[in-house]
């Protein structure tokens, strides 16, 4: 319909101006004169635009009328009208659709605006909450700082008061001391003055009574001289009369000589009998000086501790390896030695001499005691370092030890700890003559195997032994440092002994936190690499000390592991303190332990 309304007139109409236009008009319009064109040229552009607004071009209406007439005469007029209506309805529907889309956009914008408003309110609330929290924290910090300042001020005031009190007490003490010193000084002066007056008075009296005092002294000396002379005269007369009477009578002379002879004989006889009895008592009832510890009860010990003596009489032989944790192969060998020793005592055979060597703290002394108890024998422990200080008495002391060993009715296991202290090589070692004599006495008493006693030597450095000592040894057993499995068994043993049993018995201030004891012992076995059995036993005692030192008396897993870590560090420090010679000796002693399995982990990670 645009062609009806003249919308495309610029394409269809010729290029001429309308009736009132500023250029060519319609075909019927008259041309302007030169004056009119000059007047139009003189108008401004704004004026021309204003005049164009009031002009009317009727050519469009004419073209519309012509088109309407042409359309009415056309056979497609109705279809064109219908088509125009459909186009108009389509435009209306498109307009309505756009209106609805616009309304939907408006609603969506409203929803988005509400969401934005809600988000802004939420952010505002969060920010307000954050500001309130910061304000509260700041106020709390201010209050804490104010409280701390008050406490500091109070502390300063208290310190000032204490300082003033101390200064006051010191001033009072100084004044009191000065007063006492002044009083003592005055008393001393008064005493000196009084003593001076007394001495002057006494001197004046002595000067006045000098003649009388000299006369008294003279009379006393004369009387004493007379008394002494009379005593001498009387004693001489009596002795002379007795000697004259005895010498004139031969029966009295013979009686006096016999009495003196009998007296001398009695003195010497009593002295000899006393020595014999003392040696017998020492051999049967007492114990030698070199023996430090023994299971044999002396007569005096039985009187002092009768209950222990009765318990020992009623005790039964125990297992030789009870409470002793060693390598399985070593345990098997030691068990064979224990069984052989027990059967030797029962059958009254000859005992075999044993050497036990290895690092310190590996259970040599403990096994010797258990071996004696298992075999039903008495045991005695002596230290090789006690022989050298005895000097010349060392030979006698060694003979006394062996004489005393032969008096045991049950058989005696003589354990010599640190035997290398006096059983050194005579050819290369520089030893004193007294120590050499003691070594010779020891070799003399152990030259043959004996059914009365069994000799067990213990040493950390057996290579220092004299060859004659090595010739007297029948068994040589090497003790190793405990491996991983042995350390775990030892830890479990001492954990039960020093922790579980006291906690179960209800001891005061001794409680145990619940944790996996077995897993903890496994961890500690790894930490204790290189430690001996003695060091591990001391670790058990340190657990008890940790419980007694705690505030609540509860042993926790952390405390157990901390003590184990401290013990491992102390062991490393001890190893670091060793000298080069000691370190080489230690490596030679513990060299075989490298064959046993070991693991190294970081203790702090555990």
């Amino acid at each position: 319909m645009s062609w009806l309304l003249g919308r495309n007139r610029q394409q269809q109409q010729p290029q001429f101006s309308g009736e009132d236009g500023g250029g060519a008009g319609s075909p019927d319009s008259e041309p302007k004169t030169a004056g009119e064109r000059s007047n139009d040229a003189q108008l401004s552009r704004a004026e021309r635009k204003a005049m164009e607004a009031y002009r009317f071009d009727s050519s469009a209406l004419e073209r519309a009328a012509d088109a309407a007439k042409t359309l009415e005469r056309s056979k497609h007029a109705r279809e064109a009208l219908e088509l125009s209506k459909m186009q108009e309805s389509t435009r209306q529907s498109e307009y309505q659709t756009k209106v609805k889309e616009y309304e939907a956009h408006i609603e969506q914008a409203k929803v988005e605006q509400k969401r934005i408003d809600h988000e802004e309110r939420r952010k505002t609330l969060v920010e307000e909450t954050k500001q309130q929290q910061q304000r509260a924290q700041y106020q709390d910090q201010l209050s804490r700082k104010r409280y701390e300042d008050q406490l500091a001020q109070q502390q300063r005031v208290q310190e000032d008061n204490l300082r003033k009190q101390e200064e006051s007490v010191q001033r009072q003490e100084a004044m009191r001391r000065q007063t006492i010193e002044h009083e003592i000084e005055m008393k001393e002066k008064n005493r000196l003055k009084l003593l001076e007056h007394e001495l002057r008075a006494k001197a004046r009296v002595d000067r006045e009574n000098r003649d009388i005092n000299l006369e008294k002294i003279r009379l006393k000396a004369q009387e004493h001289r007379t008394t002494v002379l009379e005593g001498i005269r009387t004693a001489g007369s009596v002795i002379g009369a007795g000697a004259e009477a005895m010498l004139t009578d031969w029966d009295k002379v013979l009686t006096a000589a016999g009495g003196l002879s009998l007296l001398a004989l009695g003195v010497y006889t009593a002295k000899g009998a006393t020595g014999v009895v003392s040696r017998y008592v020492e051999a049967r009832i007492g114990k030698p000086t070199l023996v430090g510890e023994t299971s044999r009860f002396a007569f005096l010990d039985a009187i002092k501790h009768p209950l222990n003596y009765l318990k020992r009489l009623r005790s039964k032989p125990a297992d030789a390896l009870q409470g002793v944790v060693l390598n399985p192969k070593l345990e098997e060998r030691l068990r064979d030695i224990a069984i052989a020793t027990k059967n030797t005592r029962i059958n009254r055979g000859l005992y075999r001499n044993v050497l036990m060597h290895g690092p310190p703290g590996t259970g040599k002394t403990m096994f010797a005691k258990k071996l004696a108890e298992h075999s039903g024998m008495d045991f005695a422990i002596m230290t090789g370092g006690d022989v050298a200080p005895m000097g010349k008495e060392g030979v006698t002391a060694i003979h006394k030890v062996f004489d005393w060993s032969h008096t045991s009715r049950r058989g005696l296991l003589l354990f010599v700890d640190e035997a290398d202290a006096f059983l050194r090589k005579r050819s290369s070692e520089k030893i004193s003559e007294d120590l050499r004599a003691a070594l010779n006495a020891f070799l003399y008493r152990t030259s043959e195997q004996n059914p009365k006693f069994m000799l067990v030597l213990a040493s950390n450095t057996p290579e220092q032994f004299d060859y004659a000592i090595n010739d007297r040894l029948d068994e040589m057993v090497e003790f190793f440092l405990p491996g991983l499995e042995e350390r775990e068994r030892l830890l479990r043993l001492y954990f039960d002994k020093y922790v579980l049993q006291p906690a179960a018995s209800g001891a005061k201030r001794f409680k145990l936190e619940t944790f996996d004891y077995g897993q903890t012992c496994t961890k500690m076995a790894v930490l204790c690499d290189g430690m001996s059995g003695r060091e591990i036993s001391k670790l058990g005692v340190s657990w008890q000390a940790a419980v007694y030192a705690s505030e609540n008396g509860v042993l926790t897993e952390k405390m157990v592991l901390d003590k184990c870590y401290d013990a491992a560090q102390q062991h490393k420090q001890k190893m670091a303190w060793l000298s080069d010679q000691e370190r080489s000796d230690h490596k030679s002693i513990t060299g075989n332990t490298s064959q046993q399995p070991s693991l190294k982990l970081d203790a702090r990670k555990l």
Side-chain angles (χ1 to χ4, degrees), residues 52 76 102 143 145 163 180 269 294 309-310 353 365 457:
E52 288 289 336
H76 299 291
Y102 179 71
S143 61
K145 186 175 181 181
R163 181 175 53 79
I180 293 174
T269 303
T294 180
Y309 184 70
L310 293 176
N353 300 328
T365 306
L457 304 180

Side-chain angles (χ1 to χ4, degrees), residues 22-38:
S26 64
D28 297 332
S29 61
E30 296 179 357
K32 294 182 179 181
T33 61
E36 292 177 350
R37 286 195 294 271
S38 63

Side-chain angles (χ1 to χ4, degrees), residues 274-482:
T274 304
V276 173
V277 172
S278 63
R279 285 193 296 272
Y280 177 81
V281 170
E282 184 178 1
R284 294 288 180 177
I285 301 177
K287 67 177 182 178
T289 308
L290 286 177
V291 176
E293 181 182 355
T294 180
S295 62
R296 291 182 62 180
F297 266 87
F299 182 72
L300 296 178
D301 293 336
I303 295 175
K304 291 180 181 179
H305 309 286
L307 295 178
N308 294 337
Y309 184 70
L310 293 176
K311 288 181 181 179
R312 182 179 174 279
L313 291 178
R314 295 179 180 179
S315 64
K316 297 180 180 180
D319 186 9
L321 296 176
Q322 183 179 2
V324 182
V325 177
L326 299 170
N327 184 270
K329 294 183 179 180
L330 181 59
E331 287 184 357
E332 182 179 358
R333 185 177 180 188
L334 293 178
R335 195 177 297 278
D336 293 340
I337 293 175
I339 295 172
T341 304
K342 182 178 181 180
N343 292 329
T344 300
R345 188 191 68 83
I346 294 173
N347 297 311
R348 296 182 180 182
L350 298 176
Y351 293 105
R352 308 184 71 196
N353 300 328
V354 180
L355 168 64
M356 295 186 294
H357 62 95
T362 51
K364 297 184 289 295
T365 306
M366 183 184 297
F367 173 72
K369 293 181 181 180
K370 295 291 184 180
L371 176 61
E373 294 176 1
H374 172 75
S375 305
M377 302 171 63
D378 296 322
F379 72 85
I381 301 176
M382 63 171 286
T383 305
D386 294 339
V387 178
M390 299 188 71
K392 296 180 179 180
E393 299 294 330
V395 176
T396 305
I398 288 177
H399 284 298
K400 287 182 179 180
V401 169
F402 285 100
D403 291 339
W404 176 74
S405 301
H406 282 81
T407 60
S408 175
R409 292 178 297 177
R410 304 173 59 187
L412 181 74
L413 189 148
L414 180 59
F415 180 75
V416 184
D417 197 9
E418 303 297 338
D420 54 280
F422 80 104
L423 300 179
R424 294 175 174 271
K425 297 178 180 179
R426 291 171 290 180
S427 59
S428 59
E429 297 288 342
K430 295 181 180 180
I431 60 177
S432 63
E433 292 298 328
D434 297 333
L435 194 60
R436 186 184 297 272
L439 173 58
N440 293 331
F442 185 87
L443 293 174
Y444 170 74
R445 299 305 296 262
T446 57
S447 58
E448 296 180 356
Q449 291 178 320
N450 197 290
K452 288 292 186 179
F453 69 89
M454 176 180 180
L455 181 63
V456 178
L457 304 180
S459 174
N460 301 328
T461 55
E463 64 274 5
Q464 297 181 358
F465 280 154
D466 190 83
Y467 179 76
I469 296 295
N470 295 331
D471 185 60
R472 283 158 173 76
L473 299 175
D474 302 308
E475 287 280 349
M476 291 189 295
V477 182
E478 184 175 5
F479 283 70
F480 306 122
L481 287 174

